[in-house]
Amino acid sequence: MSHAQRQETAEPTPAGAARPMTGNEAIARGVWEAGCKVAAAYPGTPSTEIMENVATYPAEDIHAQWSTNEKTAMDVAIGASFAGVRAFTAMKHVGMNVAADALMSFSYIGVNGGLVIAVCDDPGIHSSQNEQDSRIYARFAQVPVLEPSDGQEALEFTRAAFALSEKYDTPVFVRSTTRLSHTRSAVVLGAREDQTGRAFHDLPAKNVMIPAHARRQHGVVLERERRLTEMLSDSPFNRVEPGQGKVGIITSGIPYTYVKECLPDAPVLKLGVTWPLPDRLIRDFAASVDRVIVVEELEPLIEDALKAMGIAAEGKAYFPREGEFSPEIVHDGFANAGLMDPRSNAAPFEFAPMVRPPVLCAGCPHTSCFMALRALDARVAGDIGCYTLAVVEPLKSIDTCVAMGSSIANAVGMAKAGTETKPIVATIGDSTFLHSGIPPLIDAVYNNADITVFILDNHITAMTGGQDHPGTGRTLRGEPSPRVDFFDLVKSLGVKHVQKVDSYDIATMQQQLREAVAHKGVSVVISDRPCVLDPVKIKGPAMEVAQESCIACQACMNLGCPALTWSEEWHEGRHKVQINSDACIGCSLCAQLCTSHAIKPIAEPA
């Protein structure tokens, strides 16, 4: 959590109390109630608040930490499980891509202390670079996935997942989505279970995945999946809700709530476990109706499984494989299936929304970085962070963006292709550099790539709300810790040309970038200014425009700063500029760009 949000750990709300909770808060409560001892994560929307809330529980109950990336967090949790305590990790869907290597092997190994993995998908792509369905990872890894549909289930399923993990010797997924993670509902709380740590299992044939051991363990995993499938047909995780009519609906997660809103009296099979599927329960339900329709967000995992079972299921013929569901989308799907009348107000609204492109915050230190890059006319490989907004006007200077930590290696590939005539620059934030930027920088040095790496150090994990990382000098709980020095780190990797520059010094930044791209080989420039919002909101004396001096050159507007607006005054047919003093933080970037010296700090009253 951000420094501004961090509070002293308080006594947990007692058992039996009911309180409104987001899905993420409820998952965190379930982790604590289950007696989990070690929890680790890397922040990523929509999963971030899970670990922030875990950290509000007493440190003597549970160790909670930010790790440098999702694989590291997964490995920390795996290590705690090896040591015999209950362990937990959380990530967004694309984070599972990073952690998957460890997951696949640990599925073969199994657990000692229970291990639960909360994966938060993002249907509708509210804050992600793609839209993937993590249930497919669970099927791939052959581990069970529990899918709650509200806050109460988020708590109960998470708590139960630890016992399921230990009983069946498997890691367990709890799958959330953006809507569940960030929506509040009433949750009745339980008490914490006291867990006695287990002794380390000194079983190399189980714990060490050399080929001879893995071949044996694969059979164990297949038998585990068979046992889970049989058990789930009688499990309270899944339930049949009898209803009227001969059309049965099979659904899970948040879409279940939309199904109940649209067809409250229909027979419904609500699946709380969406892999492995309860074969016998599904067959019995399908036999009780004439027609089966599956309502699931994203991929047709359940629908395809039913068809493989020989059940004539329908689903994606009526419901989309992309985007987030809503009651309206589910209603339209049922209407297309002939189960409901079309909505009477289904026609689109007749209006054109105002175009409001996303912009960086007023005074954001990234602004000057991308202005300098634009002036350099470089080929820029971008990365994941607030600064990805430099793909649009007015800062428009990013040419590519793939995934966390991709920018540096992408730049190496561009350089080695030998087709680019522009200087090649990779931009990457401080948290992203620590997440997955160090190995590709080593690769660039090792292979003598002619690129410039621009590390945008704003001293925080800004995009997800201001979380700490090894470069901030503070842990998740706000405790002081050693702080990574980016300059020394980069030097230690063998980079010869390294410069640090104040992000608010535009002239020096442009000069250092020009020198960096002129250097043959790998060069690194580190821009150094804290985020203007976290850990505290920065607010200096605001700037103002002397209207009599403004010549409407509009150079300052190239910043895209939301504090800069058009004035009612004109000069030679162009609008002059004014500054919203409430939004301005006094960074002075606009004053450095002003060609008529019309922008100065607001004079303090005499």
Side-chain angles (χ1 to χ4, degrees):
M1 64 187 68
S2 69
H3 296 293
Q5 294 172 316
R6 187 180 291 112
Q7 298 176 354
E8 293 297 322
T9 300
E11 284 298 314
T13 305
R19 53 169 291 194
M21 280 185 156
T22 64
N24 283 348
E25 290 173 323
I27 290 171
R29 176 75 186 200
V31 170
W32 177 77
E33 288 186 8
C36 179
K37 293 294 292 184
V38 176
Y42 180 81
T45 307
S47 70
T48 305
E49 298 85 4
I50 297 175
M51 194 55 58
E52 290 182 335
N53 280 280
V54 168
T56 65
Y57 293 96
E60 58 268 24
D61 287 351
I62 184 168
H63 168 77
Q65 70 172 58
W66 289 130
S67 293
T68 51
N69 60 36
E70 293 85 358
K71 182 182 183 300
T72 302
M74 178 78 79
D75 286 333
V76 167
I78 288 172
S81 175
F82 276 138
V85 300
R86 289 185 168 182
F88 173 79
T89 185
M91 61 203 68
K92 66 183 297 179
H93 60 293
V94 290
M96 178 49 64
N97 300 334
V98 181
D101 192 16
L103 169 69
M104 295 301 168
S105 290
F106 196 61
S107 174
Y108 274 36
I109 292 170
V111 306
N112 186 12
L115 176 65
V116 174
I117 305 158
V119 185
C120 299
D121 288 357
D122 190 20
I125 317 183
H126 297 279
S127 59
S128 306
Q129 61 267 44
N130 63 38
E131 188 177 43
Q132 68 189 48
D133 191 329
S134 295
R135 296 177 302 167
I136 295 173
Y137 261 120
R139 182 179 65 184
F140 188 17
Q142 295 174 279
V143 300
V145 53
L146 279 58
E147 194 165 353
S149 61
D150 58 23
Q152 188 67 54
E153 287 189 346
L155 187 157
E156 292 173 357
F157 283 18
T158 302
R159 180 170 177 159
F162 286 94
L164 187 70
S165 172
E166 291 169 351
K167 181 176 181 179
Y168 288 90
D169 195 16
T170 179
V172 176
F173 275 25
V174 174
R175 184 202 186 210
S176 181
T177 61
T178 300
R179 193 61 46 188
L180 173 61
S181 287
H182 294 160
T183 298
R184 291 189 184 277
S185 59
V187 178
V188 178
L189 309 182
R192 179 170 167 87
E193 302 175 22
D194 291 326
Q195 295 292 327
T196 302
R198 305 176 175 200
F200 181 84
H201 283 173
D202 193 6
L203 301 171
K206 183 178 189 293
N207 295 338
V208 183
M209 281 302 99
I210 59 175
H213 297 166
R215 280 191 290 270
R216 184 187 66 82
Q217 284 299 110
H218 192 186
V220 173
V221 169
L222 293 173
E223 173 60 18
R224 179 184 74 197
E225 188 174 65
R226 187 200 65 76
R227 291 170 53 227
L228 278 164
T229 300
E230 180 61 27
M231 178 275 294
L232 289 170
S233 288
D234 300 313
S235 168
F237 288 123
N238 306 309
R239 67 173 183 264
V240 174
E241 299 179 354
Q244 302 171 4
K246 300 301 288 182
V247 178
I249 312 300
I250 299 180
T251 188
S252 63
I254 284 290
Y256 163 77
T257 64
Y258 305 148
V259 168
K260 296 300 288 185
E261 182 173 338
C262 294
L263 293 177
D265 299 321
V268 171
L269 170 54
K270 179 189 180 299
L271 296 174
V273 180
T274 49
W275 194 266
L277 292 172
D279 183 287
R280 178 163 44 85
L281 180 63
I282 289 173
R283 290 185 186 278
D284 290 346
F285 178 76
S288 72
V289 294
D290 295 336
R291 186 181 179 193
V292 173
I293 295 180
V294 179
V295 183
E296 55 186 327
E297 278 184 327
L298 299 181
E299 293 304 303
L301 183 140
I302 299 171
E303 180 185 350
D304 288 350
L306 264 61
K307 290 176 179 177
M309 293 163 60
I311 297 171
E314 305 167 84
K316 291 307 175 183
Y318 309 118
F319 302 98
R321 284 179 62 186
E322 61 181 341
E324 183 181 29
F325 283 10
S326 66
E328 292 77 17
I329 288 174
V330 172
H331 186 127
D332 291 344
F334 284 148
N336 291 333
L339 304 185
M340 300 182 72
D341 293 330
R343 290 185 290 134
S344 59
N345 61 343
F349 291 106
E350 298 292 337
F351 71 92
M354 180 183 295
V355 178
R356 295 177 65 89
V359 294
L360 296 169
C361 299
C364 176
H366 297 329
T367 303
S368 58
C369 301
F370 287 98
M371 280 201 66
L373 283 176
R374 185 167 181 171
L376 195 64
D377 191 26
R379 181 68 67 213
V380 179
D383 224 297
I384 304 299
C386 303
Y387 47 89
T388 316
L389 290 176
V391 71
V392 297
E393 296 287 0
L395 297 175
K396 190 170 171 48
S397 54
I398 287 180
D399 298 300
T400 67
C401 180
V402 180
M404 288 284 285
S406 293
S407 62
I408 299 174
N410 290 162
V412 171
M414 292 179 187
K416 295 304 180 182
T419 58
E420 187 55 65
T421 58
K422 296 181 178 182
I424 298 171
V425 179
T427 62
I428 189 166
D430 47 334
S431 182
T432 308
F433 180 69
L434 295 170
H435 176 283
S436 47
I438 298 171
L441 181 57
I442 295 172
D443 183 83
V445 174
Y446 176 61
N447 290 291
N448 193 32
D450 188 14
I451 65 170
T452 296
V453 176
F454 200 2
I455 300 176
L456 312 175
D457 182 11
N458 64 357
H459 306 190
I460 208 75
T461 309
M463 190 171 68
T464 49
Q467 290 75 32
D468 287 295
H469 59 65
T472 69
R474 286 188 176 274
T475 67
L476 170 59
R477 292 188 182 272
E479 299 160 348
S481 68
R483 180 178 180 179
V484 172
D485 186 303
F486 288 102
F487 189 95
D488 290 345
L489 173 60
V490 169
K491 277 286 191 181
S492 74
L493 300 182
V495 181
K496 305 301 182 186
H497 184 102
V498 186
Q499 297 290 335
K500 183 184 286 189
V501 61
D502 183 347
S503 306
Y504 286 168
D505 186 344
I506 296 177
T508 302
M509 177 178 292
Q510 289 179 333
Q511 177 61 30
Q512 291 196 358
L513 277 175
R514 284 194 294 267
E515 293 174 0
V517 299
H519 174 81
K520 292 302 179 183
V522 179
S523 58
V524 173
V525 176
I526 304 167
S527 68
D528 184 34
R529 271 282 175 169
C531 171
V532 296
L533 293 183
D534 285 299
V536 294
K537 187 170 183 177
I538 296 171
K539 178 72 173 176
M543 311 297 286
E544 64 179 348
V545 180
Q547 293 295 310
E548 66 277 6
S549 302
C550 179
I551 60 173
C553 70
Q554 301 177 358
C556 58
M557 296 301 284
N558 290 322
L559 291 166
C561 177
L564 292 165
T565 61
W566 302 119
S567 165
E568 294 298 323
E569 297 191 31
W570 294 74
H571 179 82
E572 296 182 352
R574 299 185 301 272
H575 269 295
K576 293 186 178 184
V577 174
Q578 62 184 5
I579 296 175
N580 181 338
S581 60
D582 292 330
C584 177
I585 72 159
C587 70
S588 83
L589 291 177
C590 55
Q592 294 179 58
L593 294 176
C594 181
T595 59
S596 61
H597 306 290
I599 302 178
K600 300 183 183 300
I602 293 177
E604 295 185 4

